[in-house]
Amino acid sequence: MLYDSKTRICKQLLESLLFERILPFTEMIVGMKNRFTFHIKDSEVIVEGKRGPFDRIRLDITTLRSSKSSGVNDSFEHLLTQLPIPDDFQEELRRTHDFDDLSQRHRLRIHRAGLDYEELEQTIIEGHPYHPCYKSRIGFSRADHEAYGPEAGNRFQLHWIALPSTLVQGNGILPIPLILGEPLLHMFLVKLEELKQTDYQILPVHPWQWLRIKQEVAQVGGVDLGEGGVFVQATQSIRTVFCPGQPELPHIKLPLDLKQTSAVRTFSVPNVVAAPAVSDWLKKQASELPMTLLSEFASCVGSNGPLAGRVGCVFRENVLTYVHNGEQVIPLTALAQIEVDGRHFLGPWLERYGHERWLRRFFVVYLEPVIRLVTEKGIGLEAHAQNTLLVLRDGWPERIILRDFHDSVEFVTELLDDPSDVPDFKRLHPDFDAPLNTYYEMSHPLALRELLYDTLFVYHLTELAYQLELTENLNEATFFDWMHQTIEGLPIDRDRLERIGWYEQRVTAEALLAPRFGLTNQIDVKNSLVQQGEEDDHAMD
């Protein structure tokens, strides 16, 4: 079946609106399928589908029928104009269609499993498998999309500015000489000296962002130093860039006034200031667990005034420094992908090792360290697809590498192995003097289960299970049976799992779209890790 972005957007939009109870609907079981019926303005809409693990709704969008339209392409416009969705959300959906269509020229005609890490950062172009605004990029023009999106693999230089030190805050030693080169850095320093600007901080700026902050930089007495340094390329996250072919150089995360998947991608000032301290703490806590953490070893951010959170940088260790000869590293975003030949991305390795053997090994490698960090140390990480990398040897899972911690760590003091080791966040930034659940510290152990379930299962491994059912005839229930059995066999403290509510029959999941509609950001779903008996078929079809 040929790829069609309108079809995909309609599918993900309706699935999310129904799953998060944003759109009232009725559900009937008709034969082997579920029939969903809902009303929009003066139209009745019927579509068939099914319920998957964690109550996820999967629609057969080809069955979509409305009393006012026929066919999916016609339904795209009909749904966008008739559904009760805000105008700005409509714009995000339309831009997603535009940019997704534009991206298809870069879709590879080969199976991507043989590509290396840097190639995969460019060629995994699909975007978020659940959020319907997976490529909205509000603020980008079509030219910006080609210049700064990962799909085209374009390389560019960063812009550089100098700001008064009173306007920035950070920690760690910024590796600016490595990115700029000593000769250019010397030129910048000479220029600042000639301007009698000595108490200044030199910072990189994404060239797209520079055009949006140049006036504010001048207003606060900043100095425009121009473009220069090594050439960089966007990763899948767009705002993090890397230096192709130079594994010794770090990745650089930069703020952008860009809205992607309904969130503006600027920086949270206190989180960026705390980044190196968070990394040091996490690496110590996870030192005996079978995973690698990529340190965010230096950071700096505009801390006040019109540039607060809109300029800054986080320098992160390059994943390739932890990859050995004969190893391959893949972002877990690859796990939700079906290749142009109709096979799953993992197809060659599943065929080689067998579905059950490979998946059970993957569950051990991926889930054990993340769950044990919670049960043994009281710390939760957002180990979702974009933050997690899988290291393979001959296609066999060896270990995981995790990244991007400064705004995605949670802990509960009563569960900590050593509370005295926690960084003094209030000393790092005054905003950390805030109520629990605002930044890193949570008020209840259940928060850690919610973090794990959302990022590991509800919005992540459910996608892998669904795609394997479509491409490999592996029943989703079988997938989660194997996962449940694997987790039960891991060396994990069961009392701690009970304490975070791991075995509850129903769990709370985060609603990703509902807050846009003025609704609660939580939904109640069945816990498919403990309700395996309710599934009908536990075998390969």
Side-chain angles (χ1 to χ4, degrees):
M1 181 178 177
L2 292 176
Y3 181 85
D4 181 79
S5 62
K6 287 184 176 179
T7 301
R8 178 182 170 188
I9 293 168
C10 283
K11 176 177 167 64
Q12 291 185 202
L13 175 62
L14 289 179
E15 286 176 345
S16 56
L17 292 177
L18 298 179
F19 175 62
E20 298 186 23
R21 285 77 152 172
I22 297 169
L23 195 62
F25 66 94
T26 59
E27 181 177 359
M28 293 178 55
I29 297 177
V30 181
M32 300 295 291
K33 297 182 178 180
N34 294 40
R35 178 175 294 168
F36 301 89
T37 304
F38 56 92
H39 292 82
I40 51 176
K41 292 192 176 178
D42 59 347
S43 303
E44 180 182 78
V45 181
I46 298 174
V47 62
E48 293 181 349
K50 70 167 191 170
R51 288 277 186 172
F54 294 94
D55 287 336
R56 286 288 303 274
I57 292 176
R58 307 292 186 176
L59 300 179
D60 178 359
I61 204 68
T62 63
T63 66
L64 185 70
R65 296 293 180 268
S66 168
S67 57
K68 297 293 183 179
S69 69
S70 60
V72 174
N73 283 330
D74 183 34
S75 294
F76 179 78
E77 282 300 323
H78 182 65
L79 289 174
L80 262 59
T81 56
Q82 299 299 306
L83 281 168
I85 54 180
D87 290 344
D88 60 340
F89 192 57
Q90 280 193 41
E91 177 63 15
E92 290 180 56
L93 294 165
R94 295 185 191 281
R95 298 297 284 178
T96 295
H97 169 240
D98 291 342
F99 287 141
D100 198 22
D101 264 6
L102 189 60
S103 297
Q104 297 314 305
R105 71 179 70 180
H106 303 297
R107 184 179 290 273
L108 289 187
R109 304 303 172 192
I110 61 171
H111 200 293
R112 291 171 290 184
L115 301 182
D116 64 29
Y117 165 73
E118 291 186 348
E119 291 170 326
L120 288 172
E121 284 286 3
Q122 175 185 341
T123 58
I124 298 176
I125 67 172
E126 286 84 351
H128 204 292
Y130 173 83
H131 201 294
C133 305
Y134 54 88
K135 213 176 283 283
S136 54
R137 301 179 184 178
I138 299 297
F140 268 11
S141 65
R142 291 172 70 89
D144 294 331
H145 174 81
E146 288 293 287
Y148 304 123
E151 297 88 351
N154 190 46
R155 299 178 182 184
F156 53 91
Q157 290 176 299
L158 299 177
H159 204 95
W160 296 85
I161 62 173
L163 290 180
S165 296
T166 55
L167 298 181
V168 300
Q169 190 175 351
N171 280 295
I173 300 174
L174 303 181
I176 289 176
L178 288 176
I179 308 301
L180 269 180
E182 292 290 352
L184 188 55
L185 176 59
H186 178 71
M187 288 177 56
F188 286 175
L189 293 175
V190 169
K191 181 175 181 178
L192 291 175
E193 188 175 349
E194 290 173 349
L195 294 172
K196 302 189 185 304
Q197 310 287 9
T198 55
D199 191 17
Y200 270 57
Q201 174 64 57
I202 295 175
L203 288 173
V205 179
H206 193 289
W208 181 87
Q209 183 74 350
W210 164 245
L211 297 178
R212 280 135 195 92
I213 64 170
K214 58 192 302 185
Q215 290 185 347
E216 288 91 338
V217 170
Q219 289 170 7
V220 301
V223 179
D224 174 14
L225 299 172
E227 291 188 356
V230 298
F231 281 83
V232 299
Q233 183 176 325
T235 64
Q236 294 172 71
S237 71
I238 304 176
R239 61 175 171 171
T240 297
V241 298
F242 68 99
C243 309
Q246 300 186 68
E248 72 281 2
L249 295 182
H251 288 204
I252 311 169
K253 188 173 183 177
L254 304 161
L256 296 174
D257 290 349
L258 183 77
K259 183 185 282 189
Q260 170 66 2
T261 53
S262 297
V264 178
R265 301 300 171 169
T266 49
F267 278 168
S268 165
V269 173
N271 293 89
V272 170
V273 172
V278 169
S279 284
D280 290 345
W281 175 54
L282 286 176
K283 293 200 85 163
K284 181 179 179 181
Q285 295 300 308
S287 61
E288 297 180 0
L289 295 175
M291 62 178 168
T292 300
L293 305 183
L294 299 180
S295 286
E296 296 169 344
F297 59 88
S299 66
C300 192
V301 62
S303 56
N304 58 84
L307 295 175
R310 299 178 64 208
V311 64
C313 53
V314 176
F315 287 92
R316 180 197 302 145
E317 289 181 304
N318 192 320
V319 59
L320 296 180
T321 62
Y322 291 96
V323 179
H324 311 303
N325 288 337
E327 291 183 333
Q328 178 186 9
V329 61
I330 62 171
L332 287 198
T333 47
L335 298 191
Q337 310 312 332
I338 297 176
E339 299 302 289
V340 292
D341 59 3
R343 300 182 67 197
H344 193 274
F345 178 89
L346 298 176
W349 303 319
L350 296 176
E351 181 178 346
R352 179 176 181 179
Y353 294 105
H355 294 72
E356 182 172 3
R357 184 174 174 228
W358 194 96
L359 286 169
R360 284 183 181 272
R361 171 61 180 173
F362 167 65
F363 296 149
V364 171
V365 167
Y366 179 30
L367 299 178
E368 178 182 345
V370 179
I371 297 174
R372 285 179 58 193
L373 188 63
V374 169
T375 58
E376 296 177 18
K377 303 296 182 178
I379 302 169
L381 298 178
E382 281 191 5
H384 54 58
Q386 191 161 287
N387 287 355
T388 310
L389 304 125
L390 178 64
V391 179
L392 306 168
R393 183 176 291 276
D394 296 325
W396 184 248
E398 292 283 334
R399 65 186 187 282
I400 60 167
I401 299 175
L402 296 176
R403 61 187 176 189
D404 206 7
F405 313 119
H406 63 270
D407 55 3
S408 62
V409 175
E410 294 181 4
F411 70 89
V412 176
T413 297
E414 65 185 86
L415 298 181
L416 290 175
D417 180 52
D418 186 357
S420 65
D421 265 352
V422 178
D424 186 352
F425 291 114
K426 294 177 184 178
R427 182 186 60 80
L428 289 171
H429 196 281
D431 282 6
F432 285 120
D433 189 8
L436 298 182
N437 307 310
T438 303
Y439 289 102
Y440 303 123
E441 186 174 1
M442 300 292 110
S443 60
H444 196 281
L446 288 181
L448 300 184
R449 185 212 55 207
E450 292 175 12
L451 178 70
L452 289 190
Y453 269 63
D454 284 344
T455 56
L456 297 180
F457 308 123
V458 179
Y459 295 111
H460 179 19
L461 291 178
T462 52
E463 302 296 342
L464 174 57
Y466 177 60
Q467 300 295 2
L468 290 179
E469 183 167 87
L470 292 178
T471 60
E472 301 288 324
N473 290 322
L474 176 65
N475 187 274
E476 287 182 282
T478 301
F479 179 97
F480 274 90
D481 272 344
W482 292 346
M483 185 191 302
H484 171 73
Q485 293 161 11
T486 302
I487 293 172
E488 288 301 299
L490 294 175
I492 295 172
D493 187 328
R494 304 298 151 190
D495 291 337
R496 280 295 184 102
L497 286 181
E498 291 276 6
R499 198 167 173 185
I500 66 172
W502 187 271
Y503 296 106
E504 291 182 3
Q505 297 293 300
R506 299 195 67 81
V507 295
T508 300
E510 180 184 8
L512 302 186
L513 267 63
R516 292 288 301 271
F517 295 82
L519 302 174
T520 177
N521 68 341
Q522 294 185 325
I523 49 178
D524 178 70
V525 300
K526 75 174 181 181
N527 184 351
S528 294
L529 286 180
V530 299
Q531 293 187 340
Q532 297 305 298
E534 294 186 5
E535 305 295 343
D536 293 326
D537 186 359
H538 287 213
M540 296 277 289
D541 289 342

